Amino acid sequence: MGQPLGGNSLTHKLSDPVKLAPKAIPKRRNPPIPNASGLELIFSFNSSLIRHREAPLLESREKFLSHMMAQGTSVRRLRSIGTMLLHIIRLMDLKEARPVELSEVKEGAVKWAHDIEFRTKNGHAKTGRHFTYIAIKWLRFSAMYVTKIIRVEPDDSYAEQFVHFIQTVRGMGTLTVRAHRLRVRAFLKWNTECGRPLAALTLIDVDGYILLKLESGHKPAYVRSICHSLVLFFQFGEIRKWTQPRIAEGISRPRIPRVDSAPKGPEWADVRRLLDHDFGSNPAALRASAITALGSIYALRSSEVVNLKLGDFDWRNEIITIRRSKNARVQQFPIQLEVGNKVIRYLKEARPKCKHRNLFVSLNPPYREVDSTTLWVIVANRLKLLGISSKNYGVHALRHACATHLLHQGTSLKDIADFLGHSNLRSVSIYAKHDMEALRRIAAIDLKGIL
């Protein structure tokens, strides 16, 4: 697993992780104007400044461009956006601030797509899709964009009330709530397409939906998660008198073997190969190297990696603070040498200077925190690139591999549970149940002091 840091071996490398090397500033055609702000920082020619200042909605456009600049958008990109805003105003006849609907934006995009002569003459190769994207982003920022909420009533109302219940009353996490919302909304959409009111639903109808999912090729484990969401929904629906009683009790879930012979993560030798492989020195590779090291050595969940902050690394005392996502437990570990070196290199050479305090952020402006989906893609792509086979991919596969490796080393179940941040020993079986020989060996070790 590697050795923790000793003494102050890392302290001299990074005394303050927040003070990062700034990005290179794009070259300007003319020197910047002292104390300039707004358009003067973007457009360097007087003719361009005059054209942009004389166009309608100057204040709105200037605030929007300043907002994009604060997010880290390059000057070159801001020039392109600012010029596109002039075309949006021209083609949509926006002379003053007013409500704008999506249909009007689409009409403007069609005009832009057909204005081939103007675009060719002026060197614009942007499509109607780009026109729509910039227009909606600016109009929404300026509070001019009007969205017509299309709801499938009352199903959408049912879903949102259910989500509010599990989020506020049951206290479920953001990712769990999101998963339940998607599954319930998909079921309600299917039921609406069948032309059946929710109050008329029977257990036979629900079983038919579950069977349909199995027959369409979904894995039993995924269908079981759908059943779990439907059980929660129908329990809530029965309380609110939306559905017939006792449906939740009768929902049958697909059988999942209690002991799965196939490991859910890669072999530790393959994880070691992933950690040792040199994917390059570009920012994306350095960020991926830090992510895989944290996920493998500390067996973190993807949400725990996402939520890591710059302040969670105490470089002087060489301690990392982990906030567990499921039970809000806070744990501290020594900064392992390999992990520390990779995180430091990412901070010094790859992480952009931005206002976000999360450890991992996007590499291109506008900067934002990475999400769990991005982490899955980063890890999965590198596992597949090395030809490493695994039942699951992503950060959680590394977590499972770490737990299995600890089991093979003879670590007790209690120590593994504590290391993974679990509150009980039963949860450890999720990661290690496939290796029954190792479990028997650990059980024999644990019983020696008792018998």
Side-chain angles (χ1 to χ4, degrees), residues 159 162-163 166 172 175-191 209 213 221-234:
F162 166 70
V163 165
I166 62 175
M172 295 185 179
L175 295 178
T176 304
V177 170
R178 178 187 176 190
H180 286 312
R181 175 193 276 117
L182 292 174
R183 296 167 194 153
V184 169
R185 285 176 67 93
F187 170 76
L188 293 175
K189 181 181 178 181
W190 168 82
N191 185 61
Y209 177 76
K213 289 295 181 182
Y222 175 69
V223 177
R224 190 177 181 87
S225 66
I226 294 176
C227 294
H228 178 54
S229 298
L230 294 181
V231 167
L232 293 174
F233 175 74
F234 279 101

Side-chain angles (χ1 to χ4, degrees), residues 12-306:
H12 71 282
K13 294 185 179 181
L14 190 66
S15 59
D16 186 357
V18 180
K19 296 180 180 178
L20 307 175
K23 289 280 187 178
I25 301 175
K27 295 181 180 179
R28 297 175 58 90
R29 282 171 279 185
N30 287 330
I33 302 172
N35 301 322
S37 61
L39 297 177
E40 288 86 353
L41 292 173
I42 302 171
F43 302 99
S44 51
F45 294 125
N46 288 333
S47 57
S48 299
L49 279 172
I50 292 172
R51 185 170 70 255
H52 283 270
R53 288 199 176 280
E54 291 181 348
L57 299 170
L58 171 62
E59 183 179 358
S60 174
R61 288 183 289 111
E62 199 164 16
K63 285 183 178 180
F64 176 68
L65 293 173
S66 297
H67 169 71
M68 296 294 292
M69 181 183 293
Q71 289 187 314
T73 307
S74 66
V75 174
R76 181 177 180 181
R77 171 70 174 158
L78 289 171
R79 289 194 190 110
S80 174
I81 294 174
T83 303
M84 179 60 77
L85 292 179
L86 296 185
H87 295 303
I88 292 170
I89 290 171
R90 173 176 62 88
L91 294 173
M92 295 176 58
D93 195 24
L94 290 173
K95 298 179 180 178
E96 59 183 12
R98 59 176 176 80
V100 178
E101 295 182 0
L102 178 60
S103 58
E104 187 176 354
V105 175
K106 289 183 176 180
E107 289 177 6
V110 171
K111 294 178 182 177
W112 172 251
H114 286 83
D115 199 354
I116 300 176
E117 181 179 355
F118 179 88
R119 288 166 52 199
T120 306
K121 181 177 65 176
N122 291 275
H124 293 284
K126 303 299 184 181
T127 63
R129 182 179 297 179
H130 180 75
F131 179 97
T132 303
Y133 172 76
I134 297 299
I136 292 178
K137 195 166 186 177
W138 169 53
L139 293 170
R140 183 174 284 136
F141 176 83
S142 305
M144 290 190 289
Y145 187 61
V146 179
T147 56
K148 289 185 176 180
I149 301 176
I150 302 175
R151 291 177 177 264
V152 182
E153 295 290 357
D155 289 350
D156 209 51
S157 175
Y158 290 147
E160 293 310 313
Q161 291 183 60
F162 166 70
V163 165
H164 178 74
F165 170 75
I166 62 175
Q167 193 169 30
T168 58
V169 179
R170 296 287 295 270
M172 295 185 179
T174 303
L175 295 178
T176 304
V177 170
R178 178 187 176 190
H180 286 312
R181 175 193 276 117
L182 292 174
R183 296 167 194 153
V184 169
R185 285 176 67 93
F187 170 76
L188 293 175
K189 181 181 178 181
W190 168 82
N191 185 61
T192 300
E193 292 173 351
C194 294
R196 182 173 42 233
L198 189 62
L201 264 172
T202 64
L203 182 58
I204 296 176
D205 299 323
V206 179
D207 288 340
Y209 177 76
I210 296 171
L211 183 61
L212 181 66
K213 289 295 181 182
L214 288 170
E215 291 176 347
S216 62
H218 291 290
K219 295 181 179 180
Y222 175 69
V223 177
R224 190 177 181 87
S225 66
I226 294 176
C227 294
H228 178 54
S229 298
L230 294 181
V231 167
L232 293 174
F233 175 74
F234 279 101
Q235 287 174 345
F236 180 65
E238 185 175 346
I239 295 173
R240 301 300 296 268
K241 308 297 183 184
W242 294 343
T243 62
Q244 297 183 25
R246 304 179 69 85
I247 292 181
E249 300 174 13
I251 294 178
S252 57
R253 310 180 187 188
R255 294 179 59 85
I256 306 295
R258 291 181 61 86
V259 178
D260 190 356
S261 59
K264 297 197 180 329
E267 296 290 335
W268 186 251
D270 289 328
V271 175
R272 192 66 260 170
R273 185 157 59 93
L274 173 69
L275 295 175
D276 294 338
H277 187 81
D278 183 10
F279 286 99
S281 58
N282 59 76
L286 296 180
R287 183 182 64 177
S289 179
I291 289 172
T292 53
L294 285 164
S296 302
I297 303 301
Y298 293 102
L300 301 182
R301 301 179 179 92
S302 61
S303 57
E304 293 163 355
V305 176
V306 167

